[in-house]
Amino acid sequence: MGSCCLYSPTNTNTVIPIRRLHSAKPVISGARARANHSKLVFVPIRAVLPAAQYSTTTMANSVRVAAAQMTSINDLASNFSTCSRLVKEAASAGAKLLCFPENFSYVGAKEGDSLKIAEPLEGPIMKGYCSLARESNIWLSLGGFQEKGSDDAHLCNTHVLIDDAGNIRSTYRKMHLFDVDVPGGMVYKESSFTEPGKEVVAVDSPFGRLGVTVCYDLRFPELYQQLRFHHEAQVLLIPAAFTKITGQAHWEILLRARAIETQCYVIAAAQTGKHTDKRESFGETLIIDPWGTIVGRLPDRISTGIAVADIDLSLIDSVKVSSPLPEPRTPLSI
C-alpha cells in the first residue's frame, strides 16, 4: 500500500484518513520489487478560502480525482505493477480519474535506453494500461509515455488520456523539450532524441475540459493562457519529473501560479526519489484549486502513493466572478 491523502471540503475542520508509508526508502530485490508497509493515521486537512466570497460553494457538482507519486525505474514490469496497485487504490478511494507522472512506465538507466523500449500507441505497453483503466472503470492520465518517433533515433514524449472503457481519448506530444547544460553539473538534452509536439490539446471529460501538458511545459505560461482562453480548459494536467534542485526552488510556486493566472484546477503528478545513481526527482504531487489553494497532497513528498481531492467545477465560476481576468491583449503563438 502507498500513501493516500483525501481532501477535506472547503472551510471545514473535517478529519480525514491518510495511509502513510513508513519505509524511508523502497526495498528493491533482484526482481526490482518493492516492499512497503503502511499504516492508517488521521490528520486534519483544511482548504482555506475567503468565506465571504465562497460561502455559497457546495460540493454538489464535485468529482473525485487522484494524482500518483512514484519512482519509476528501468523495469517496465515493475513500474506496471506499481501503477496497477495505485489504480486499485484510487478506484477504492472513489476517484474517477487517476493522473500518473511523466515517464510513469519507464526511466532509463543510461542514454539510449528509452529509445530501445519506445513503442507505438498500439503496442503491448499501452494496451496493458488501457486494460487497467477498463478493469477498474477509471480514467487514466498517462503523462510522458515513450511513443516511437518517426525514426529509430527519436521518440515522442506523449501524454495519453484513456477513458474508463479503456479507449485512448486524446494524445498530446510535449512541445517544450528539456535541454539543460549546467556548468560543472547536469547535462541533459531531451531534444537530441525527442521530437517536439506541435499541437495544443484540450479534451472534454466527465471532470471538465482538460488541458493536457507535460513537465517542462510548466515554465511556459503562454501555453496555459492558450488552453484557458482559446480552448476553454477548466482542469490543467501537468505530469512531471522535475529535478530535485529545480523542484525545491520552483515546482510548487509555478503550479500555483498557473492555477491562479488561469483560474483552473491543476493536477500535477510527480516522479520522486532516485531512479538511478545519476537521476533523482523532487516529488511533491499536488492538486490545486482555481484560487491557488493546495487541496490534495501526500503527507510525504518522497513516498509512493496517491493524493485525492474532490474538485468542484462551480468553484471556477465563483473565482471568475470574484476576480475576473481580462483576455490577453496580444495574440498567443505557441
Side-chain angles (χ1 to χ4, degrees):
M1 298 291 286
S3 299
C4 177
C5 177
L6 293 183
Y7 163 49
S8 164
T10 300
N11 296 324
T12 70
N13 288 308
T14 305
V15 176
I16 55 176
I18 290 180
R19 281 190 196 89
R20 184 168 185 172
L21 271 173
H22 286 268
S23 54
K25 297 181 179 179
V27 179
I28 303 178
S29 69
R32 310 292 287 185
R34 297 170 185 268
N36 293 327
H37 302 282
S38 63
K39 182 180 179 181
L40 191 66
V41 297
F42 291 85
V43 299
I45 288 186
R46 190 179 182 192
V48 181
L49 296 178
Q53 294 180 17
Y54 302 108
S55 58
T56 59
T57 299
T58 69
M59 300 303 285
N61 299 317
S62 69
V63 62
R64 183 158 291 176
V65 299
Q69 185 169 281
M70 62 188 294
T71 308
S72 296
I73 56 175
N74 62 333
D75 186 323
L76 288 164
S78 176
N79 296 330
F80 183 81
S81 177
T82 298
C83 291
S84 179
R85 173 168 56 82
L86 295 177
V87 166
K88 292 175 182 176
E89 287 190 19
S92 296
K96 302 302 180 183
L97 165 70
L98 173 59
C99 300
F100 281 103
E102 185 181 27
N103 299 332
F104 63 97
S105 64
Y106 188 83
V107 171
K110 59 183 183 298
E111 187 176 343
D113 281 357
S114 292
L115 284 170
K116 294 177 183 177
I117 61 92
E119 285 188 356
L121 297 177
E122 302 78 20
I125 297 175
M126 189 53 60
K127 283 185 177 179
Y129 286 92
C130 288
S131 296
L132 277 184
R134 182 173 59 252
E135 291 164 4
S136 293
N137 193 34
I138 191 171
W139 283 58
L140 296 180
S141 160
L142 304 173
F145 173 70
Q146 291 94 347
E147 180 189 8
K148 191 171 181 59
S150 60
D151 57 56
D152 291 339
H154 293 87
L155 54 78
C156 296
N157 190 338
T158 304
H159 188 156
V160 184
L161 194 65
I162 302 173
D163 67 20
D164 53 6
N167 301 311
I168 294 178
R169 281 295 188 94
S170 181
T171 58
Y172 162 78
R173 292 171 179 87
K174 184 178 180 183
M175 299 175 70
H176 302 100
L177 304 182
F178 183 54
D179 286 359
V180 62
D181 187 350
V182 180
M186 178 182 179
V187 177
Y188 188 82
K189 299 287 186 183
E190 188 176 17
S191 62
S192 68
F193 62 92
T194 305
E195 298 173 356
K198 299 178 180 179
E199 296 183 1
V200 178
V201 175
V203 59
D204 290 321
S205 78
F207 333 102
R209 189 155 175 81
L210 306 176
V212 190
T213 68
V214 177
C215 197
Y216 196 54
D217 287 331
L218 178 59
R219 293 189 178 275
F220 299 84
E222 62 272 19
L223 171 58
Y224 298 92
Q225 295 290 304
Q226 182 95 304
L227 285 165
R228 156 72 158 85
F229 289 103
H230 297 279
H231 295 269
E232 300 180 339
Q234 297 169 296
V235 180
L236 304 175
L237 306 182
I238 310 177
F242 255 53
T243 67
K244 185 177 180 181
I245 294 174
T246 57
Q248 287 174 331
H250 300 149
W251 173 245
E252 180 180 323
I253 296 170
L254 288 172
L255 290 172
R256 295 182 70 186
R258 296 298 88 86
I260 293 166
E261 68 196 13
T262 62
Q263 298 176 330
C264 292
Y265 277 95
V266 166
I267 305 177
Q271 289 282 350
T272 190
K274 298 198 72 171
H275 311 281
T276 68
D277 292 338
K278 297 181 179 180
R279 182 169 178 179
E280 183 175 4
S281 294
F282 176 66
E284 193 75 290
T285 286
L286 297 172
I287 303 174
I288 303 169
D289 76 10
W291 191 250
T293 302
I294 296 172
V295 295
R297 77 191 314 162
L298 277 82
D300 181 351
R301 74 167 179 81
I302 61 171
S303 64
T304 294
I306 58 172
V308 183
D310 295 323
I311 65 173
D312 182 359
L313 297 180
S314 67
L315 178 59
I316 297 174
D317 295 328
S318 297
V319 172
K320 287 180 180 178
V321 169
S322 70
S323 184
L325 288 177
E327 188 167 334
R329 295 179 182 179
T330 57
L332 298 172
S333 60
I334 301 295

